[in-house]
Structure formats: structure tokens, C-alpha cells
Amino acid sequence: MIANLPDKTGKSIDQWLALVTTSGAAKHGEIVKWLKGEHAVSHGYANLIAHRFLSAASTAGQSEDALISAQYAGKESLRPIYQALRTKLAAFGSDVEFAPKKAYVSVRRSKQFALVQPSTKTRMDLGIQIKGRRAEGRLEESGSWNSMVSHRVKLEHVGDVDQELLGWLREAYEQA
């Protein structure tokens, strides 16, 4: 949806976020109403813009390190898995970006192709966006877990970051 935003609305996500900042709207419903009423943005795109705006506002002023530390507080045993993933993903290319949010890290190229989320004290969930790939083995459909990705892999040990997983991630990276 973000990639289609300029074609469908005439503005990029960054342009919309700048406009919302000047609107004075502070709550999700207010932002959606303002975008729909003042700019004739469809409900789906208005909802997306509002979510992005509020997500950015909730993490504003926090460093990447602070966000990551907060995610792994009480889940420190999972941090080596994150570090292994980050190292392997960064090796895909200089265009890989890591964008920590409050509860997860978005991994992007031109668009998000993965997300890393410490879900429990003993399990990390890796979301992967792969078009046309059937779920198989530990690569399961994301279902209701997260609509921003098509698949999920549950990770519990650094050894779970293996060649099979990296193959799926490479596929997603190349599609992004």
C-alpha cells in the first residue's frame, strides 16, 4: 500500500506524515476523519497513514539502541538470535535498512520484506513477505499473527538462523 500511495493519493507517506503533523489531529480517529474529509483519502489509506503517524510519534526521540533494549528486556536470551539475523541480513546489500519500532524491528529495502519480533521469553517470530511462496515446514502462513507479512518462522535458538531461513529471506529481499 505504501508503494501505491503516491499513485493513489498524489503524495508519498513522508509527505502525508508531514501534513498530519500540521493538522493538529492527535488521535487515530481524528487523523482518519481529517484525511478523508480534507483530502478525500480513502479509508484504507487514511487508516494506514494514521497508524504510521502514531507509530512514529510513539517512538520519536528514542534511539535505536533504546528501542532494541526495551524489546529484549526480560527476553535477553533472544538477543543473540536478533544479532545473528541482523548480521546475515545486512550482508544482503547496502540497501538493507533496520527500523526499530516499539515492539519489533522492520527490515526494509525499497519496502518492508521482514520483521523481527521477540514474542515471548523463549521465542522470536520472524515475519517474511514472500509473494507466491507456499507455506512449508517451519515456514508457516502468518495468518492473523501479522498482516504486514505473508509468512512467519518461529525462532528459539541461534542455530535456527540457517541456510533454509536465509534462502527465504533472500527471496523476500529480492522481491522488495
Side-chain angles (χ1 to χ4, degrees):
M1 281 183 77
I2 289 177
N4 293 328
L5 204 54
D7 289 339
K8 300 292 183 183
T9 68
K11 292 179 179 47
S12 69
I13 189 66
D14 291 333
Q15 291 170 318
W16 281 117
L17 296 177
L19 276 174
V20 172
T21 301
T22 65
S23 74
K27 295 182 180 178
H28 183 85
E30 294 171 348
I31 295 168
V32 169
K33 182 178 177 181
W34 179 78
L35 288 166
K36 289 168 69 174
E38 295 294 318
H39 297 280
V41 174
S42 72
H43 181 79
Y45 282 108
N47 190 46
L48 169 73
I49 294 164
H51 275 293
R52 282 292 173 114
F53 179 79
L54 294 171
S55 175
S58 73
T59 59
Q62 294 184 33
S63 72
E64 284 191 19
D65 289 339
L67 288 166
I68 297 295
S69 292
Q71 287 178 21
Y72 290 92
K75 302 172 185 176
E76 289 82 4
S77 66
L78 297 175
R79 191 138 183 196
I81 302 170
Y82 171 74
Q83 288 305 128
L85 278 169
R86 186 176 176 110
T87 300
K88 298 290 187 183
L89 287 166
F92 284 1
S94 61
D95 56 350
V96 174
E97 300 174 12
F98 299 89
K101 310 296 183 199
K102 192 171 188 175
Y104 65 92
V105 175
S106 173
V107 186
R108 300 185 298 228
R109 188 178 191 189
S110 58
K111 61 182 181 178
Q112 178 174 281
F113 67 91
L115 65 84
V116 183
Q117 176 179 309
S119 297
T120 72
K121 288 185 178 195
T122 60
R123 189 189 80 237
M124 173 180 293
D125 287 321
L126 174 66
I128 308 173
Q129 181 60 36
I130 312 175
K131 294 178 188 147
R133 167 66 76 165
R134 289 184 43 171
E136 58 180 319
R138 63 186 181 139
L139 179 71
E140 54 189 54
E141 291 183 19
S142 74
S144 62
W145 173 69
N146 192 309
S147 63
M148 295 187 294
V149 292
S150 58
H151 297 81
R152 170 174 67 171
V153 179
K154 297 173 183 174
L155 308 173
E156 296 179 342
H157 309 284
V158 172
D160 293 339
V161 182
D162 58 13
Q163 291 306 310
E164 180 181 46
L165 179 69
L166 295 174
W168 295 323
L169 287 166
R170 171 67 72 177
E171 186 177 346
Y173 167 80
E174 290 174 359
Q175 289 180 7

